[in-house]
Amino acid sequence: MNRLLAKTRSLSYIFTGFLPFWFFLLLFKFGGGLHYSLISPLGEKFFPLWLVGILMGGCSVVQLLLDVPAGHLLDRFGYLRFLKITTAIFLIAALSLTLGLTKITYLLSLLFSIFGWLFFGPGLNAYVLSHAPRESAGRFMSVRDVFGSIGVVLSSAALPIVLTQTPQMMGAVIFFLLLISLFFLFFSPKDHTSVHAEQKLPTQHHYIRRQFILTTLRAMKRLNPASGMLLLVSLSSSIFYGCIWFVVPLIIAHQASAGLLGLGLGIFDFSIVVLGFLLGNLADRSDKRALIFFGLLLFSISGMLLGFNFGWLFLLFGFLATSGDEMASISLWSWLHSLDHEHASDGVVASVITLFQDLGWAIGPMLAGVAYTLVGPSLTIVIGSIPVLLTWVVYQFVVRKHGRRHISFSLLPAKPHRARHKT
């Protein structure tokens, strides 16, 4: 029995036992990331950029509104089954582009991509957590983050090449990647339990946002100011990344020498996978109040500088911006954890925080679509970083209002990974 338990906890078992599923994840993120990156360059061929931004943001809003019924369907009919369904729907989105780029095929591809992404994030998290023993849930989620980030890096690196191809070829490449990912799903371990059977990660939101409003408000109020700050950081950072993923593909499409920016898109998420352990140790050993202060400051300043450097410095400032983001985020989760003595509302709080992330991903492209036309790409990125700077300003007032005696920090708890790309 102990030997079996040790096996399930081992990293090699997590890697090899679920290898087909990890390949599915990598290829889905590869193909899906390419599709999301192509929305703004392809959309500008038919629509004004402000409308393209609304369309992109509107997709996130629709997904947000359908999230609860999607969660019910996943619970009732199985996680793996709906991952197959959502991938098959995404195949239709890719197939639409192979018919030739018109207003109709563009909008059809956008429509089907909504449902292609709808079950992916929640289904992925629920599937992984349903298989993960409580003791190794964190390792399972870490492997998930690594493979997902590799897929994003590959899609970002391939974007400059794909943008030189015809729309039919773009659709064919995405279709091929998603088709192979669907193939791997059929060889992945089957569902064997509901994610609700056991709470695996206290602060992992899974995908469920079904709590009553009063219960949610009570929990958020009880955990203030940490919960309020996490909401602001989640919202402002998602607005920033939403602007980045709208603007950078346009720059790559317009400038033949901007191929390096493809790697720049992947640096935001992959740097956190690489630095996660180091930042976690730093948060455990250092003054977390200072980490939040300098993390948000580094995030906002580096984010602003990103807009004026589209060469190698873009990679550097992108790395620094995301490092500052994660530095502040880890410390805020630790603060929240220390305030929540009962841990009866972990899922509620994490779900609301994720809701604000989704709102940011809706606002970001809309903001970028309007700003890009008016002030150009550089100032659009600067504008996208202003909410982060305002969050840093708010934090100064929060610290002053609550004083040092109210800000005690615990050791770093398990926290949900926040993607810096479309999920």
Side-chain angles (χ1 to χ4, degrees):
M1 182 67 181
N2 290 334
R3 187 175 298 175
L4 178 61
L5 183 59
K7 179 185 176 183
T8 60
R9 291 177 182 175
S10 70
L11 192 60
S12 60
Y13 167 78
I14 295 170
F15 180 80
T16 58
F18 293 84
L19 193 59
F21 187 78
W22 302 135
F23 277 125
F24 152 75
L25 171 58
L26 187 154
L27 290 168
F28 188 100
K29 281 293 186 73
F30 193 168
L34 273 177
H35 185 274
Y36 187 76
S37 300
L38 291 170
I39 293 176
S40 55
L42 294 181
E44 71 166 342
K45 297 180 183 295
F46 302 107
F47 306 106
L49 283 178
W50 63 265
L51 183 55
V52 177
I54 289 176
L55 289 172
M56 289 181 68
C59 289
S60 296
V61 172
V62 172
Q63 287 175 231
L64 191 154
L65 294 175
L66 294 177
D67 189 53
V68 170
H72 282 290
L73 289 173
L74 282 162
D75 272 348
R76 184 170 181 180
F77 297 106
Y79 311 131
L80 197 63
R81 177 182 299 179
F82 264 91
L83 284 173
K84 294 175 183 176
I85 292 173
T86 204
T87 307
I89 293 174
F90 220 142
L91 285 172
I92 301 175
L95 200 60
S96 300
L97 295 178
T98 64
L99 301 177
L101 187 62
T102 65
K103 285 184 179 180
I104 298 299
T105 57
Y106 174 79
L107 292 174
L108 280 175
S109 185
L110 208 56
L111 175 65
F112 284 112
S113 73
I114 294 174
F115 296 94
W117 285 112
L118 179 61
F119 297 99
F120 172 73
L124 169 69
N125 292 338
Y127 175 85
V128 171
L129 286 170
S130 69
H131 280 281
R134 186 194 242 320
E135 297 82 2
S136 58
R139 290 184 180 181
F140 265 79
M141 303 309 273
S142 295
V143 174
R144 175 208 64 177
D145 294 341
V146 169
F147 275 88
S149 292
I150 291 173
V152 172
V153 171
L154 289 175
S155 70
S156 302
L159 180 61
I161 300 173
V162 173
L163 277 169
T164 64
Q165 307 301 311
T166 64
Q168 290 90 337
M169 181 59 70
M170 295 177 185
V173 169
I174 297 170
F175 181 87
F176 181 70
L177 290 170
L178 292 173
L179 185 64
I180 299 176
S181 75
L182 180 61
F183 172 79
F184 278 115
L185 269 185
F186 285 93
F187 296 92
S188 301
K190 307 297 182 184
D191 295 334
H192 62 78
T193 184
S194 168
V195 75
H196 306 295
E198 183 182 1
Q199 182 89 351
K200 301 291 178 61
L201 285 178
T203 50
Q204 175 65 36
H205 68 274
H206 310 314
Y207 55 87
I208 306 155
R209 300 177 191 140
R210 306 175 195 172
Q211 306 295 332
F212 292 105
I213 293 177
L214 287 179
T215 303
T216 301
L217 292 177
R218 244 183 261 118
M220 299 304 293
K221 183 177 180 180
R222 179 169 55 85
L223 299 177
N224 257 329
S227 58
M229 284 305 307
L230 269 172
L231 293 184
L232 285 177
V233 171
S234 299
L235 177 64
S236 60
S237 62
S238 297
I239 291 173
F240 171 75
Y241 294 120
C243 288
I244 290 291
W245 281 83
F246 183 92
V247 170
V248 173
L250 285 172
I251 298 174
I252 296 174
H254 294 163
Q255 299 179 16
S257 60
L260 189 64
L261 283 179
L263 292 175
L265 281 174
I267 197 69
F268 294 104
D269 195 71
F270 193 70
S271 63
I272 295 309
V273 176
V274 174
L275 285 177
F277 181 75
L278 176 63
L279 291 176
N281 281 339
L282 182 65
D284 274 345
R285 301 168 183 267
S286 306
D287 179 3
K288 297 177 181 64
R289 187 180 299 100
L291 289 180
I292 298 170
F293 177 91
F294 288 110
L296 289 175
L297 187 60
L298 178 64
F299 186 15
S300 59
I301 293 176
S302 299
M304 289 181 179
L305 293 174
L306 269 174
F308 301 100
N309 299 274
F310 295 125
W312 283 103
L313 284 176
F314 187 93
L315 297 178
L316 173 62
F317 289 126
F319 183 86
L320 292 175
T322 318
S323 299
D325 177 16
E326 188 73 359
M327 190 188 302
S329 176
I330 286 176
S331 301
L332 283 168
W333 272 106
S334 183
W335 185 3
L336 180 77
H337 192 70
S338 67
L339 293 176
D340 192 3
H341 303 293
E342 300 173 359
H343 298 287
S345 306
D346 289 333
V348 177
V349 174
S351 296
V352 176
I353 290 169
T354 306
L355 176 66
F356 272 69
Q357 292 174 18
D358 292 343
L359 285 174
W361 277 100
I363 295 170
M366 296 181 184
L367 175 63
V370 174
Y372 193 100
T373 304
L374 296 176
V375 298
S378 294
L379 288 179
T380 297
I381 293 177
V382 172
I383 291 172
S385 66
I386 288 176
V388 180
L389 181 62
L390 294 177
T391 301
W392 176 77
V393 172
V394 170
Y395 176 67
Q396 312 314 309
F397 288 100
V398 167
V399 171
R400 187 175 303 173
K401 178 180 178 182
H402 290 272
R404 295 182 64 89
R405 63 188 180 85
H406 292 287
I407 307 180
S408 60
F409 296 95
S410 66
L411 292 176
L412 180 67
K415 78 175 187 68
H417 172 78
R418 175 156 55 83
R420 274 76 180 180
H421 55 264
K422 180 67 176 175
T423 56

